[in-house]
Amino acid sequence: MKKKLLITALAVMLFGSSLPVYAAPEYMADGGVFDAEWYLEQNPDIAAAFPADVSAEVLYQHYIAFGAREGRTPYNAATFDPTSLQPGQNPPENTEVTPVPSSLKPAISSNTGAQNYRWYSNNNWNWAEPVKSYLYENQLGGITRVECINGQIVVEDYDNSFYLRESRTIPMELSIWGGFYAGKDYNFFIFGQENPSQDNSREVVRVVKYSKDWTRLGQASLRGANTTVPFDAGVVRCAESGDYLYIRTCHEMYASSRDGKNHQANMTLAIRQSDMALTDSYHIVMNSSVGYVSHSFNQFVLIDQNKNIVTLDHGDAYPRSIVVMRYKGAKGGGDKFSGGVDSSTLIAFPGATGDNYTGASVGGFAETANSYITAFNYDGGNHGAREIYLGCTSKNGLNSTVTLLTQSAGMQTPMLAPTGPDGGYLMWTDASGVFYYTRYTDGGTIGAIATADAALSDCQPILHNGEVVWYVTNGSIPVFYRLNAAGMLTKTIANGQ
């Protein structure tokens, strides 16, 4: 034990405080006694599941929620008598350190409610728009905010107390914002520009690669590509496997020879990261047997644990449904995105083919051990208020079922916050701004629904230090929300304000 503590202390001196020094058995906030170091030593599966800088409080909440009923122990009862530890007499190491205030100013923005589909004239929240707010875990053990604000890209690094420690801006390289993706080794920005003259030589999409310390390293360009407006009436989402980045997005296409109209559909790209070569793209009018969806009003992509490329689209025409597709030939880590697919319909919408109104919005797509999980709202096809649904598509056979969660109507676009192969959290707000959340599990089982003082934005929640974390702004600096393994939700304003 002494040797381990010495190694930990040396690591802290050499590398900073990314590795915590845990106190001996100590009183927690609820009066329980817990030894974080003992808990990790005795449970290597837990140690492997959490980051190196996980706090004692997060580990204690895991013990409360799961460890106790699994027979795990909170301290070494053979060598420690909890009666010897009196309240208020915890070791000095347990004293909470007040974070050093930051002189940097977080950027102000307004992203609250931006996960909801947008209102355009009389189009009734029919489609999504590109996500502008992102979080990811940075190499220093904190989190980084990336947000496109009024045409400027802001990048802010925060410590684990949500104090801003470094900020920078990244230039927009084309006029249309597409999205951002934090990969394992690189960061990527996706930009676009219009092509009204239908010029096959015009660059319509640019994918820019940055190092993790924000050195620009290269780009890939898509030209012409049957595109007049990239990312139109949809989003940009990415996944990676090995050396390959896969992008699922959409575009307004060249005028149709059939009716002269510029129709919209999904679009897919595969890029080799090492040399930024565009190795595959699907952008012409096709059919659903190869993954084509028209019109596609929201797009998701993931690489599952078997390296299958799996997508989710919200279509109003071909097909007119929320549809999961899994590619049969292409695999994650390969240079192709194209080929045949197996598909499964979650909801088939009534109404005429191509009618933009579907009465639904899709907000989340995730993998569990045996299923693909989808979160969406839907009015039942009656042009009324929307309810929350959870879709579950089995990996074996791609059989889909949907579960209705609410009966109060007026629910906005939900979001999923995956926490692992066993499930995660489903979150949404209603028309009056009340925030709801519940657990979902592998197979689509839903837990009890709770409410909290919280909000949603277009920031996809991430898992950080064993907690689900996201942020919201409302003409303000970020408010960070944290949801732990015990279902406890807290909020912290950036810089302790």
Side-chain angles (χ1 to χ4, degrees):
M1 178 72 75
K2 290 182 179 179
K3 182 178 179 182
K4 180 178 179 181
L5 289 174
L6 177 59
I7 292 171
T8 302
L10 288 171
V12 170
M13 287 188 290
L14 289 171
F15 302 111
S17 58
S18 63
L19 296 176
V21 178
Y22 298 113
E26 55 184 307
Y27 269 102
M28 307 306 290
D30 64 358
V33 176
F34 185 69
D35 184 339
E37 188 170 5
W38 163 266
Y39 197 62
L40 291 175
E41 286 180 344
Q42 298 302 307
N43 302 288
D45 58 326
I46 295 174
F50 285 96
D53 59 350
V54 61
S55 69
E57 178 62 29
V58 168
L59 291 172
Y60 180 62
Q61 292 300 331
H62 180 277
Y63 167 73
I64 293 297
F66 305 107
R69 66 171 180 261
E70 293 170 352
R72 305 179 196 263
T73 54
Y75 54 84
N76 188 352
T79 61
F80 174 71
D81 178 5
T83 62
S84 67
L85 183 64
Q86 300 298 319
Q89 295 182 344
N90 289 337
E93 293 90 340
N94 189 47
T95 303
E96 183 176 350
V97 178
T98 301
V100 177
S102 174
S103 60
L104 299 176
K105 302 296 184 183
I108 292 173
S109 68
S110 293
N111 68 9
T112 183
Q115 86 289 350
N116 203 40
Y117 281 20
R118 300 291 85 195
W119 174 273
Y120 293 99
S121 182
N122 62 344
N123 288 317
N124 298 314
W125 299 286
N126 287 335
W127 50 73
E129 65 177 14
V131 175
K132 294 181 178 179
S133 310
Y134 298 83
L135 280 182
Y136 71 93
E137 290 188 304
N138 59 43
Q139 293 177 307
L140 300 177
I143 57 175
T144 295
R145 169 198 184 190
V146 177
E147 186 172 350
C148 182
I149 306 171
N150 298 324
Q152 181 180 56
I153 303 170
V154 173
V155 178
E156 298 178 340
D157 297 331
Y158 290 85
D159 63 22
N160 286 322
S161 297
F162 304 107
Y163 278 70
L164 178 59
R165 296 309 180 191
E166 187 172 355
S167 64
R168 62 192 68 78
T169 58
I170 303 294
M172 285 275 293
E173 297 195 14
L174 295 177
S175 58
I176 301 176
W177 167 259
F180 168 77
Y181 181 73
K184 177 179 178 294
D185 298 317
Y186 307 104
N187 291 331
F188 299 91
F189 290 99
I190 300 95
F191 306 105
Q193 64 182 348
E194 293 187 4
N195 181 21
S197 61
Q198 303 184 170
D199 180 355
N200 287 332
S201 66
R202 183 172 174 81
E203 184 181 29
V204 292
V205 174
R206 180 183 299 177
V207 182
V208 183
K209 180 174 77 171
Y210 279 81
S211 66
K212 287 299 182 178
D213 61 0
W214 299 105
T215 299
R216 190 186 190 281
L217 299 177
Q219 71 177 64
S221 295
L222 181 69
R223 298 182 181 277
N226 190 34
T227 299
T228 55
V229 184
F231 328 132
D232 182 54
V235 301
V236 173
R237 289 193 173 90
C238 305
E240 70 176 353
S241 180
D243 191 28
Y244 284 86
L245 177 71
Y246 305 96
I247 300 174
R248 187 78 156 191
T249 184
C250 58
H251 60 154
E252 179 189 272
M253 299 183 288
Y254 290 177
S256 168
S257 60
R258 177 175 55 86
D259 61 12
K261 295 181 179 179
N262 296 95
H263 295 284
Q264 188 264 17
N266 62 3
M267 179 167 64
T268 58
L269 311 175
I271 295 171
R272 189 167 55 231
Q273 298 182 26
S274 55
D275 60 1
M276 292 303 286
L278 179 66
T279 61
D280 196 17
S281 64
Y282 256 38
H283 50 259
I284 61 176
V285 175
M286 300 291 290
N287 59 67
S288 60
S289 67
V290 293
Y292 175 84
V293 176
S294 173
H295 308 115
S296 175
F297 291 155
N298 207 340
Q299 305 83 32
F300 296 81
V301 59
L302 61 82
I303 312 297
D304 73 12
Q305 60 189 1
N306 294 316
K307 294 191 175 181
N308 293 305
I309 302 173
V310 190
T311 61
L312 177 74
D313 285 79
H314 173 187
D316 81 345
Y318 304 103
R320 186 172 172 79
S321 65
I322 300 173
V323 59
V324 173
M325 296 179 170
R326 186 167 63 193
Y327 284 77
K328 293 188 288 188
K331 284 280 190 177
D335 60 358
K336 299 296 182 185
F337 201 136
S338 52
V341 300
D342 292 317
S343 63
S344 184
T345 296
L346 287 112
I347 292 287
F349 302 120
T353 298
D355 179 1
N356 292 166
Y357 185 86
T358 62
S361 63
V362 183
F365 189 49
E367 177 191 13
T368 58
N370 299 291
S371 310
Y372 309 115
I373 303 296
T374 304
F376 60 98
N377 68 14
Y378 181 45
D379 67 3
N382 58 18
H383 287 243
R386 300 181 181 185
E387 303 286 2
I388 298 297
Y389 291 79
L390 190 81
C392 180
T393 304
S394 64
K395 292 181 178 178
N396 183 14
L398 290 187
N399 299 306
S400 291
T401 59
V402 298
T403 301
L404 173 65
L405 273 70
T406 61
Q407 296 288 344
S408 53
M411 300 300 175
Q412 298 193 337
T413 309
M415 297 191 80
L416 291 178
T419 57
D422 60 336
Y425 286 99
L426 168 63
M427 305 182 289
W428 69 93
T429 57
D430 65 19
S432 61
V434 177
F435 174 90
Y436 301 83
Y437 66 105
T438 184
R439 288 282 304 180
Y440 70 88
T441 64
D442 184 29
T445 302
I446 297 296
I449 297 174
T451 61
D453 178 17
L456 288 176
S457 70
D458 61 345
C459 171
Q460 170 63 44
I462 66 170
L463 194 61
H464 177 64
N465 285 345
E467 299 179 307
V468 170
V469 181
W470 72 99
Y471 78 92
V472 177
T473 60
N474 188 13
S476 66
I477 64 175
V479 175
F480 291 94
Y481 292 94
R482 295 177 293 149
L483 186 56
N484 68 18
M488 299 171 58
L489 195 149
T490 57
K491 67 178 181 178
T492 305
I493 303 177
N495 279 2
Q497 297 180 5

